Amino acid sequence: MDYDLMKNNKVNISGEVVSELEFTHSICNEGFYEFDLKVTRLSDTYDIIPVTISERLLQEYPISKGDMISGSGQFRSYNKLVDGKSKLMLTVFLRELMPYNENDNPNHIEIVGYVCKEPVFRTTPFKREISDVLLAVNRCYNKSDYLPCIAWGRNARFVKNFNIGDKVVVQGRIQSRDYQKKVNDELITKTAYEVSLNKIELIKEEVDVDTMETTVGVLENYYVR
């Protein structure tokens, strides 16, 4: 395992388990479960974030709905067949689990990745400036995670000038956001997950932009659950 790649994607998260643990899949005889974690914000609101955990970790630290936990891991993406279409889903993959500590920062992520889609800059009706950007984050075993990020204000103005292939180091928090989508004349509520950025650094490095553009071309609906 390339431990340097482990540093590309670091998450620390704390909150309340608000769903039953559900078995999702097994790899090499190791089972994995998913649950929802309620993570509070400073504004007294909260995010509901999907979390994946190994059964081996649960044997050491069994958890259930209603428990308060703290953990560390990575924010990952994976493909899932939904309504006959491949969707790129997002989840926090826990590598460590520990007793809840209310003094910990409940939601912190650090990413080293590459811009793989042209940033989208916009202004809200309340005149808030926003930039959306998709980052490709390298992982072990020649895999990558594709993570949607959002920047505000002066950070949004900085991000809007990024180019495909730019290497960036960012920090922020993972957030959930409900929105409505019209499907067959019916409004359906969906949830999007993204990284809200508060620190951004651009690193100069050459990459194969053509290869990256080909990869991004196959991504659709990359953060919808």
Side-chain angles (χ1 to χ4, degrees):
M1 180 180 294
D2 190 334
Y3 289 98
D4 285 337
L5 289 178
M6 298 283 290
K7 301 175 183 177
N8 284 347
N9 187 338
K10 298 185 292 184
V11 173
N12 291 289
I13 196 166
S14 299
E16 179 186 358
V17 179
V18 292
S19 70
E20 302 292 345
L21 274 69
E22 179 182 352
F23 177 82
T24 58
H25 65 285
S26 179
I27 300 177
C28 299
N29 297 319
E30 181 179 6
F32 294 88
Y33 291 79
E34 187 172 275
F35 62 90
D36 289 331
L37 193 70
K38 180 180 178 180
V39 181
T40 58
R41 298 187 188 182
L42 293 176
S43 58
D44 290 330
T45 57
Y46 58 85
D47 297 289
I48 302 295
I49 299 174
V51 176
T52 300
I53 189 170
S54 165
E55 62 182 0
R56 297 177 185 176
L57 197 54
L58 289 171
Q59 291 171 359
E60 281 186 86
Y61 302 99
I63 61 175
S64 58
K65 185 178 180 180
D67 287 347
M68 302 294 293
I69 65 169
S70 295
S72 63
Q74 297 179 312
F75 197 30
R76 292 186 177 181
S77 64
Y78 65 96
N79 291 310
K80 183 178 182 180
L81 195 64
V82 178
D83 298 328
K85 296 182 180 180
S86 180
K87 306 286 187 180
L88 203 67
M89 315 296 285
L90 297 174
T91 184
V92 172
F93 182 83
L94 286 185
R95 289 187 169 276
E96 294 186 52
L97 193 61
M98 58 205 75
Y100 177 74
N101 186 341
E102 62 181 8
N103 296 318
D104 288 344
N105 183 338
N107 189 343
H108 182 72
I109 181 171
E110 298 180 24
I111 301 170
V112 181
Y114 296 89
V115 176
C116 59
K117 191 175 184 180
E118 290 289 347
V120 177
F121 178 81
R122 65 189 190 278
T123 303
T124 72
F126 297 102
K127 306 301 181 183
R128 294 195 70 184
E129 297 169 304
I130 303 173
S131 284
D132 297 298
V133 61
L134 184 65
L135 299 184
V137 181
N138 292 333
R139 202 201 312 166
C140 299
Y141 309 114
N142 294 319
K143 294 184 178 181
S144 295
D145 294 296
Y146 295 90
L147 306 180
C149 302
I150 186 168
W152 307 82
R154 61 184 179 83
N155 281 336
R157 295 193 296 273
F158 180 48
V159 167
K160 75 176 182 179
N161 296 313
F162 286 176
N163 298 307
I164 293 175
D166 281 348
K167 183 178 182 180
V168 296
V169 180
V170 301
Q171 295 184 32
R173 63 177 176 82
I174 301 168
Q175 68 179 22
S176 61
R177 173 174 54 83
D178 290 339
Y179 69 99
Q180 290 187 320
K181 182 177 181 180
K182 193 172 184 179
V183 179
N184 298 326
D185 296 325
E186 180 182 359
L187 284 178
I188 297 177
T189 299
K190 292 180 174 288
T191 303
Y193 303 98
E194 57 208 359
V195 179
S196 180
L197 305 179
N198 55 43
K199 291 185 180 180
I200 308 166
E201 181 182 359
L202 179 62
I203 307 297
K204 293 297 183 181
E205 182 177 289
E206 296 293 331
V207 297
D208 189 340
V209 175
D210 291 335
T211 301
M212 185 167 292
E213 287 180 329
T214 301
T215 303
V216 176
V218 302
L219 297 178
E220 294 181 355
N221 301 317
Y222 52 82
Y223 57 89
V224 174
R225 185 183 187 195

